[in-house]
Amino acid sequence: MSTNGIEMIFLETHNWGKAAKFFQSLGYELEFDTGHNSGQLRNTTGPAIFIAEVPESREPGMQCVLGVDNLDELRVDPDIDVVSPADDTHYGTREMIIRDPDGRTWTLSSPLKND
């Protein structure tokens, strides 16, 4: 299996505005605001940070997203625990979730291929 490194950090928050302002104070610039309490920020030297607001009743999570050129061509070692097989998302990617030996989950993501 081979990835292209960290593509994005996905963060959940209870307050989109405060979270975005926090990262902007660290030098990140808003790439886009979805208009529904989420958006993407980036600085020039690293992966994007996508922040999504979740209800107060839910504990905010964080996920590291590793980039892959084409998820359908990726050969996953049979010893790797696949939590969620490759599937298309509503936001234009194809993603798979795997679990490392210590129980952390990782998202593998590739662009959707237009046939």
Side-chain angles (χ1 to χ4, degrees), residues 1 75-83 96-100:
M1 178 187 316
R75 289 187 180 23
V76 178
D77 187 297
D79 293 332
I80 290 180
D81 180 12
V82 176
V83 176
M96 169 190 286
I97 299 174
I98 60 174
R99 187 179 327 275
D100 73 19

Side-chain angles (χ1 to χ4, degrees), residues 40-62:
Q40 184 166 296
L41 297 100
R42 185 182 303 269
N43 69 18
T44 58
T45 61
I49 296 177
F50 189 92
I51 304 171
E53 190 171 295
V54 296
E56 289 288 332
S57 60
R58 184 166 149 189
E59 182 73 26
M62 182 174 83

Side-chain angles (χ1 to χ4, degrees), residues 38-115:
S38 63
Q40 184 166 296
L41 297 100
R42 185 182 303 269
N43 69 18
T44 58
T45 61
I49 296 177
F50 189 92
I51 304 171
E53 190 171 295
V54 296
E56 289 288 332
S57 60
R58 184 166 149 189
E59 182 73 26
M62 182 174 83
Q63 184 66 50
C64 185
V65 179
L66 302 175
V68 177
D69 289 332
N70 186 338
L71 199 51
D72 292 323
E73 294 177 359
L74 187 68
R75 289 187 180 23
V76 178
D77 187 297
D79 293 332
I80 290 180
D81 180 12
V82 176
V83 176
S84 177
D87 198 14
D88 296 350
T89 67
H90 68 279
Y91 43 87
T93 62
R94 186 156 176 78
E95 294 184 352
M96 169 190 286
I97 299 174
I98 60 174
R99 187 179 327 275
D100 73 19
D102 294 308
R104 290 178 292 261
T105 58
W106 298 79
T107 300
L108 304 178
S109 177
S110 69
L112 282 176
K113 300 295 180 190
N114 294 331
D115 295 326

